[in-house]
Structure formats: structure tokens, C-alpha cells
Amino acid sequence: MPLPWLREPLLRALRLERSHALLLHAPQDAGQFDLALTLAQAWLCEHPGQAPCGRCSACRLVHQRSHPDLRIVVPEALRVRFEWLAEDDPLLRASAKPSREIKIEQVRDAIEWTQRSASSTRGRSLVIHPAEALNAHSASALLKTLEEPPGNLRIVMAGSDPQRLLPTLRSRVQRLRVEMPDAKQAKAWLSEQGVAVQTDRALAVCGGSPLATMMLLEAGFDDAALAALPSAVARGDAQGLLGKPVPLVVDLLQRVAHDAMARAAGAGARYFDDASLPAGATLSALAQWQRELLRVAAHDEHPWHAALLVEALVTNGARCWPRTATPARRGGDHSLHSAR
Ligand SMILES: [Zn+2]
């Protein structure tokens, strides 16, 4: 079964029977990839016209990712994250960083696959995620297939920002917007997953996404830890962030920076409680810190010295609050280059 807030969008998508290419777009982490996979499964299920039964042989093959009529195209970096690599996968031996883009070779390979005949009468399903990972070349390579899909091929793309897609690609797909669940639905789902703590702050920090909230909680960030985070950063105290997954930490610091920026500019905070954000941050220092965080976020690899990296980021963050940070912390040179 799809996630509860995706059931209605799934039925809506299934009603678009004549559409061969769909773009499911939703705010980050709303579950659009899950929905795309469930939709593809429903298209292949032996009991068509409804949510996938989950029991037929087609559904079972989809679950094992071995259905011959299903192709899932994601960037290498996601295959690594999902642990979708066979033991002999070249990615495991490659020294290069796994790509975060969908490469043109992947698209060409998928197009070649679409031209073979389907193994069942249910046709074939191609899932592409995230659509924004298609670069100009791979998106262009896909245009003809989107316009004239061979045989009974159906394509579903998941994404979060249609404006970042090539206009020619955007115009060839039918768009279906998926909303984040409301707070009540989100909390109901979290409690079904066994979450028994307050999650208001975590949900706000995650832009309302229960999936991202779950990951945050699993990493040990409850509401109390999150409420204490901005002032800890302002003091230059990285203790609560050490040992946590670096991409998650960088993401959290970006949100602290965003809200501090909003507050310094006289606007309201978006992720954290206004009251938990220390006053007195300087805009120019925040802008510099944000650029640094963006740079680090763009590098996906796990640094060998994760603790040093996190400490340097927090120390540099503390410089945005010159009256809050302790002089000892502000003294030394905490250049990121020396930390990595
Ligand atoms: Zn089925």
C-alpha cells in the first residue's frame, strides 16, 4: 500500500489512463518517488485499475526490482544510497564519486530497453527520479520517447521542482502535483511507526515531511535537541552534531542559516521557533556562512575528518553572532581546507 497521504494522488494518477508520460511533483521528501514506484507497480499489476494488489507475481517481481517490464532510472549516488548495487557493480570499485546526475548513457540504455517488446500484455513502465537530475543532454535524449512512446510504454517521473526542467521536457509530460500531508496526517503516520515523542519542531524543520522527520528522529534529533540547536551554533558548540550523518548536519545548519538570515532581515523563521534563534546575527557573515554550507553540501562524499568538518562549520557559523560566541572559539583559524 502507498503511504496514506499518497493514496488519493495514486488514484488520481491511475485515472489519467490516456497519459503516457507523467510528472509527479511534490515538495522535497513528500514521497513522490514512492508514489512513482507504486504507480508503475499498479500499471504492471495483474489486477489493473486500482492500487496494486501486492500479491500477484507482477507485484512480487516489482518488489524484488526484477520485473522485466520495469526500468528504474536514478543517479548513481541514489543507487549507492539505496544500496541497489550488485556485488560486482563497477560503482563499488570506481574511485570516482558516484554521479548525482542522470547520465545520458543511462537514458540511452533505457530507451534501447523501451524498444524491446514487453514480456506481458500490461506493457512496460519506466520510472525516472529525480527528474531534476536529468542534465540538458540526458533530458534532450528523452524527448522523442516522451513524445512518441513505443508500444505500450508508460513513463513516470518524480521531482520537486518542475521549473528546473527543460521547457521542452516539461511540455511533453502531464503534471500531477502531490501535496505534503497536513500536520495531523503526518503525526498519525509517525505514531503508527512507533514514534511516541513530540514531533512539532522536527516536522517544521523538515518542511512538514514525515519521511524526513523519521530520519531526523532516527539520527537522534528530537524536538528538544532541535530547539537547542540554533543557540548552540551561535555559541560555537558542535557537541550535539558530532557523530551524526554529515549530510544531515549540513542540511540542518543550512536551515539554521536560512532562519537566522530571515530573522536578521526582519522576517519570520521558517524551520525553527523564532524564540530559539539568538538575536544579533550579522547579515554579511550569514551570507558568507551560507555560501560555505552550500559548497560543502555540493560535495557528497563523507570526509575522513567528519568531526573536524562539523566543528569548523559550527565555528564559522558562530562568527555570525559576534556577541554570543565565546572569544576562545572565535580565535583560531578554522579553515575548512585544513579540516578536510
Ligand atoms: Zn498485483
Side-chain angles (χ1 to χ4, degrees), residues 1 43 57 70 75 86 88-89 93 119-120 136-137 156 182 192 216 219 288 303 306 314:
M1 275 309 283
W43 285 338
S57 61
L70 172 66
D88 57 348
D89 195 294
R93 278 178 282 117
S119 68
S120 90
H137 300 293
V156 55
D182 61 29
E192 273 170 37
L216 206 55
Q288 197 183 343
V314 170

Side-chain angles (χ1 to χ4, degrees), residues 161-181:
D161 188 0
Q163 294 312 314
R164 277 175 53 203
L165 304 180
L166 277 189
T168 43
L169 188 137
R170 221 164 44 221
S171 66
R172 283 168 170 81
V173 294
Q174 181 155 12
R175 284 192 250 173
L176 195 140
R177 184 172 163 80
V178 181
E179 301 296 337
M180 205 57 108

Side-chain angles (χ1 to χ4, degrees), residues 1-17 22-27 30-40 42-43 49-52 156-158 174-182 185:
M1 275 309 283
L3 293 160
W5 62 93
L6 301 177
R7 282 176 200 152
E8 187 275 330
L10 174 67
L11 297 178
R12 251 191 304 148
L14 283 168
R15 282 198 292 270
L16 300 171
E17 274 195 7
L22 261 181
L23 170 65
L24 306 173
H25 62 103
Q32 50 270 58
F33 182 43
D34 284 287
L35 180 58
L37 290 176
T38 309
L39 181 61
W43 285 338
Q50 53 190 339
V156 55
M157 296 195 268
Q174 181 155 12
R175 284 192 250 173
L176 195 140
R177 184 172 163 80
V178 181
E179 301 296 337
M180 205 57 108
D182 61 29
Q185 266 185 313

Side-chain angles (χ1 to χ4, degrees), residues 86-208:
E87 265 174 44
D88 57 348
D89 195 294
L91 267 180
L92 289 175
R93 278 178 282 117
S95 53
K97 203 171 62 171
S99 174
R100 291 210 272 180
E101 293 190 341
I102 293 174
K103 295 176 170 176
I104 188 164
E105 298 79 37
Q106 290 178 277
V107 170
R108 286 196 183 127
D109 192 41
I111 292 172
E112 197 262 322
W113 167 85
T114 65
Q115 284 155 354
R116 289 181 236 151
S117 55
S119 68
S120 90
T121 52
R122 301 285 295 139
R124 329 196 106 193
S125 301
L126 172 61
V127 177
I128 299 175
H129 171 75
E132 296 83 14
L134 289 162
N135 60 34
H137 300 293
S138 45
S140 300
L142 194 61
L143 292 180
K144 190 166 172 292
T145 306
L146 284 174
E147 191 140 278
E148 299 164 26
N152 40 5
L153 170 73
R154 303 228 240 179
I155 303 168
V156 55
M157 296 195 268
S160 50
D161 188 0
Q163 294 312 314
R164 277 175 53 203
L165 304 180
L166 277 189
T168 43
L169 188 137
R170 221 164 44 221
S171 66
R172 283 168 170 81
V173 294
Q174 181 155 12
R175 284 192 250 173
L176 195 140
R177 184 172 163 80
V178 181
E179 301 296 337
M180 205 57 108
D182 61 29
K184 196 174 151 210
Q185 266 185 313
K187 286 184 188 174
W189 181 79
L190 285 165
S191 91
E192 273 170 37
Q193 309 310 304
V195 173
V197 295
Q198 283 280 321
T199 51
D200 299 75
R201 183 51 44 208
L203 272 167
V205 166
C206 294

Side-chain angles (χ1 to χ4, degrees), residues 97 100 250 254 292-301:
K97 203 171 62 171
R100 291 210 272 180
V250 174
Q254 282 184 302
E292 178 183 29
L293 290 167
L294 266 179
R295 236 185 359 254
V296 174
H299 289 86
D300 222 6
E301 78 260 42

Side-chain angles (χ1 to χ4, degrees), residues 45-46 53-54 56 59:
C45 175
E46 289 160 15
C53 75
C56 70
C59 282

